[in-house]
Amino acid sequence: MASNQEGQQNQAGRHQEVGHKSLLQSDALYQYILETSVYPREPKPMKELRELTAKHPWNIMTTSADEGQFLNMLLKLINAKNTMEIGVYTGYSLLATALALPDDGKILAMDINRENYELGLPIIEKAGLAHKIDFREGPALPVLDQMIEDVSTIMPLAHSNILHASSEQNCNFKIITKLQGKYHGTFDFIFVDADKDNYLNYHKRLIDLVKVGGLIGYDNTLWNGSVVAPPDAPLRKYVRYYKDFVLELNKALAADPRIEICQLPVGDGITLCRRIS
């Protein structure tokens, strides 16, 4: 009888549906972490935005408070200054980032829904952080493609490469210059929490934009625990739809020789990729 009661208690403490923001098996343990280490140290603007977002019908999309705390500390540890965020929602992770950056730090933030971003914008403005954020509404891939294509000229090549133009053009000279990507290797940190079916497409581009030694963080890489769920598991439709994309991403990241990776069970799972080449 005692063992049956214990089993029932353990089952009651487990999350009853896939979709909980914490992957811990015990709600009580997760609540302990929040109440002991996260909420007491949560900056006032982040608390205000978290409580505002909790009232939104799509609040499951927000970054969890413990992950926000993790991102804030991580950015301070790597002394990040120039960052990017793909997928903003109401801006909780964006605010965590802005609080961690120096006053002249910058965040290129992209989301398809400006309305959600503007819910949290007054809190960001009140905190005096809006000047750090360059928000772009719309799909991120076209912006990334443009950044990849943009080039800047650097030092002219040797004098022997100077070509004489036609005398009919006022004897102007053309100087052959070397071209390099204007944004290549310029970002210290990039956080992706957006459409899972495009994560691999993002990675193909972001690997060129993050600096060597910089980090890319992919959110939801354990995808509500569904990555180990059996085929007949009762998953929500959106969880089941994106599951294979997340599995494909995880496999690709593990095999990418250009990065070192660390997958952490924080929030809904986050994989950090450090570019090494």
Side-chain angles (χ1 to χ4, degrees):
M1 178 66 71
S3 60
N4 288 339
Q5 290 178 345
E6 182 179 353
Q8 291 173 355
Q9 290 173 352
N10 288 340
Q11 183 62 32
R14 295 176 182 270
H15 305 313
Q16 296 303 307
E17 64 174 322
V18 175
H20 197 287
K21 289 300 283 188
S22 171
L23 294 169
L24 291 174
Q25 293 185 341
S26 167
D27 285 320
L29 182 57
Y30 182 51
Q31 198 64 29
Y32 171 82
I33 293 172
L34 293 176
E35 294 179 356
T36 303
S37 301
V38 179
Y39 292 159
R41 305 299 295 269
E42 186 178 33
K44 185 177 179 181
M46 290 182 66
K47 179 178 185 291
E48 186 177 353
L49 182 52
R50 174 171 58 81
E51 292 176 345
L52 173 68
T53 304
K55 301 173 185 177
H56 194 275
W58 301 342
N59 58 56
I60 191 67
M61 292 172 54
T62 192
T63 300
S64 62
D66 53 322
E67 186 175 6
Q69 183 186 61
F70 169 75
L71 291 173
N72 182 267
M73 179 174 287
L74 178 66
L75 287 158
K76 292 174 181 175
L77 288 172
I78 66 173
N79 295 313
K81 186 174 180 179
N82 190 37
T83 71
M84 182 192 304
E85 182 161 330
I86 301 176
V88 174
Y89 187 40
T90 61
Y92 188 79
S93 56
L94 184 65
L95 180 54
T97 299
L99 285 165
L101 299 186
D103 191 61
D104 60 345
K106 297 297 179 184
I107 312 166
L108 173 59
M110 293 175 276
D111 199 289
I112 61 172
N113 190 319
R114 176 179 287 274
E115 184 178 348
N116 288 335
Y117 165 67
E118 290 182 345
L119 287 175
L121 184 57
I123 297 173
I124 294 172
E125 291 175 334
K126 186 169 63 174
L129 300 170
H131 68 283
K132 299 181 183 182
I133 300 168
D134 176 12
F135 180 82
R136 311 277 185 90
E137 183 180 21
L141 286 175
V143 178
L144 298 179
D145 285 337
Q146 184 62 52
M147 295 175 74
I148 294 292
E149 293 171 5
D150 279 355
V151 295
S152 58
T153 57
I154 58 174
M155 294 179 60
L157 300 184
H159 180 75
S160 60
N161 286 325
I162 298 179
L163 302 179
H164 193 280
S166 168
S167 59
E168 296 179 358
Q169 300 295 326
N170 299 320
C171 294
N172 289 328
F173 288 87
K174 289 183 179 180
I175 300 178
I176 296 178
T177 56
K178 182 179 179 182
L179 300 178
Q180 70 175 12
K182 181 179 180 181
Y183 297 100
H184 287 215
T186 59
F187 288 89
D188 304 309
F189 180 77
I190 301 172
F191 183 59
V192 184
D193 183 9
D195 43 330
K196 316 309 171 195
D197 46 345
N198 269 320
Y199 267 28
L200 271 179
N201 290 324
Y202 293 140
H203 185 67
K204 292 173 183 176
R205 294 157 173 80
L206 297 179
I207 195 66
D208 289 328
L209 298 175
V210 71
K211 71 179 185 181
V212 174
L215 295 176
I216 307 172
Y218 292 101
D219 200 22
N220 306 115
T221 58
L222 295 177
W223 198 225
N224 299 263
S226 68
V227 290
V228 295
D232 59 348
L235 305 177
R236 294 180 178 179
K237 288 183 179 179
Y238 78 92
V239 173
R240 184 176 300 280
Y241 175 78
Y242 289 113
K243 173 185 173 183
D244 288 343
F245 293 107
V246 175
L247 288 170
E248 185 181 11
L249 171 77
N250 291 339
K251 184 177 180 180
L253 295 181
D256 191 338
R258 301 167 296 178
I259 57 175
E260 297 173 330
I261 66 171
C262 179
Q263 189 172 29
L264 299 170
V266 177
D268 191 26
I270 180 172
T271 299
L272 298 178
C273 306
R274 178 176 178 267
R275 183 182 174 188
I276 57 176
S277 67

